[in-house]
Structure formats: structure tokens, C-alpha cells
Amino acid sequence: MHIVVFTRGTPDTAAKVDVNASGAVTWGDAATVVNPWDEYALEEAIVQAEKAKGKATVIALGGDLHVDALKHSLAMGMSEAIRIHDDGLDPFDSLSYATTAAAAIRKLGDVQLVIFGKESVDVGTDQHIYQTARKLGWTMLSNVSKILALDGNTIKVERLLETGKQIATAQLPAVINVTKEINEPRYPSFMGIRKASKATIPQWTLADLGVNATGKKVALKSYKGLPARNVQVEMIDGSPEEQAKKLVDKLLEEKVL
């Protein structure tokens, strides 16, 4: 059983993110971390690969920004890491990402399951996941909260839906994305961190994947920061009953109610 996880480096969620005068996103000296949603995908890949006596590979698309995320993944227990970087690749364009990701899966050759985190927190999207499944021609199972059974031919999962839970079975190979309910990600061990720090991560180009054009459809020009909000706070005094009455009067005055 060969399982692949796609991950990326993102700014720490506690970092102060700004847009500079040139329209580029900056976060100062704050560290980058593995995309938080991907930690659940990484943990599940490690667990399932160990159960099946297989291997788990992690892949990131993009520049040096993602190296730390790959090394964090190795420190957690992933078997191998690969980074795909090319001047012709725009990982922020979902179709370009999916075309490249599918080509990487085909190059590996023996992959039976691809796991993504629910979404990417920095770009707030998950469409690249579904496009990757479509490019591969594989079954897509979304919002997986538990893998109930996994063998060489089929996968049985529990999916979280707005109306409840669903049990679904599909033939392998397949692509899934997982929610945070699926597991509790492990912390990298000291030995894992030391081993990962010494690891040499191979880098593939589009030529290595046999991809000439990634089918890019979207061009990212720049970002704009949100306008500053002018917020005024007024404290309401009096007893709870008086406060409630004053609050309702103000809400009616502002036509909120």
C-alpha cells in the first residue's frame, strides 16, 4: 500500500499577515508551519501505511517556502518527501496544481490512495483536491472523518455531512480529503526531527513529470488589504434589566431589530 499526502507551508496562524505597497502578502519574521489541515492527513497516512505495511510519501508544490513543511512531515514519520518546483508552475492556480499533482502520482506509479487535508488555510480553497481526482480519473471522497476499512482493493469511510454521517465504500485507487475529527496528529519525536533535518529532499520539475503546459487558467495579480474599520464601543450601565432595555432601544434606533 502506497499512500501519498500533498502538503504546503503556510504562515503561522498566529502571525500578523499584511499586504505591502506592491500587493504582495508578508508576515514579517514569523515562522511558516505545515498547513494545519494537512497534519490530519499526514497522521492518517502514517497510521494506515503502518497497518498495511506500506509506505507514505509527502509531496509539496512550490518554492523553498515548503521545505520546512516537508521536513516536519518526515519528522512525524512519513517515509519519503518530494518537492516539485518549476518556473512554469503556479501552485496558486488550482488547475495548474491539479495537473502537476496528477502527473506526480503517475510518475510514482504504485499509489493507491491520495490524502489531502480539508483545505489550504492560506488560500482558503479546496478545489484543487477535486480537480486532482478528476485529472487522475479516480473516485473522490470528501469530508472523511474516519477510515473504517482499507485493503488493496477497496476503502470504506465515514463522511461528515451537514445532515449527519454517511458510510461510503469505493474501489481503489481513490482521493480523499479528511476533517479534523479523523485523528489527533502526533508531535514529531526528537529522533524524527534529527533525522528529518539531515534529509535531502529530491526536487522534480515539470520536465521530470512529462508536463509541458499545466493548463493555467487563473493569474494572480496582487492582493489588497481590507480597509481599516472605524469601530466605536459604548458601555451600557445600570442593572441587567436597565441594560437590556437600553440595548433594545439602541438596536431599534439603529434599525437592527
Side-chain angles (χ1 to χ4, degrees), residues 14-208:
K16 178 176 172 50
V17 179
D18 290 313
V19 179
N20 63 24
S22 63
V25 176
T26 64
W27 51 87
D29 297 329
T32 58
V33 298
V34 62
N35 176 41
W37 286 108
D38 295 343
E39 291 189 280
Y40 302 97
L42 293 164
E43 175 67 24
E44 196 62 24
I46 294 167
V47 169
Q48 296 298 332
E50 288 175 349
K51 285 182 180 178
K53 294 181 173 57
K55 65 178 181 177
T57 300
V58 58
I59 301 176
L61 278 64
D64 293 339
L65 168 69
H66 307 294
V67 171
D68 286 346
L70 290 174
K71 291 201 171 185
H72 178 94
S73 304
L74 290 173
M76 285 180 68
M78 296 293 287
S79 310
E80 300 174 354
I82 300 166
R83 183 165 66 92
I84 302 171
H85 183 56
D86 194 287
D87 291 339
L89 171 64
D90 182 358
F92 288 100
D93 176 71
S94 61
L95 185 58
S96 178
Y97 187 107
T99 302
T100 306
I105 294 300
R106 294 191 185 100
K107 180 177 174 65
L108 289 172
D110 60 346
V111 180
Q112 293 167 287
L113 180 64
V114 177
I115 306 179
F116 285 88
K118 186 175 181 293
E119 63 181 18
S120 300
V121 297
D122 55 341
V123 291
T125 182
D126 62 359
Q127 58 189 356
H128 61 290
I129 302 171
Y130 300 87
Q131 289 171 327
T132 299
R134 182 63 182 269
K135 285 288 184 180
L136 289 167
W138 293 4
T139 300
M140 174 72 211
L141 295 170
S142 61
N143 298 323
V144 172
S145 57
K146 185 181 296 184
I147 294 179
L148 301 172
L150 179 65
D151 57 37
N153 299 310
T154 61
I155 181 172
K156 183 178 181 180
V157 302
E158 175 186 273
R159 300 177 62 222
L160 284 183
L161 307 178
E162 290 184 1
T163 54
K165 295 180 180 180
Q166 179 191 74
I167 305 300
T169 302
Q171 294 292 312
L172 294 177
V175 177
I176 69 173
N177 73 340
V178 298
T179 66
K180 64 181 181 180
E181 289 79 10
I182 196 165
N183 57 47
E184 184 65 34
R186 71 190 67 187
Y187 288 101
S189 66
F190 177 71
M191 291 301 296
I193 293 172
R194 287 191 61 185
K195 183 178 178 181
S197 67
K198 300 176 182 177
T200 300
I201 298 174
Q203 181 176 314
W204 292 351
T205 65
L206 294 181
D208 294 327

Side-chain angles (χ1 to χ4, degrees), residues 1-15:
M1 175 72 68
H2 189 179
I3 302 172
V4 168
V5 176
F6 284 88
T7 192
R8 62 189 293 112
T10 64
D12 192 311
T13 51

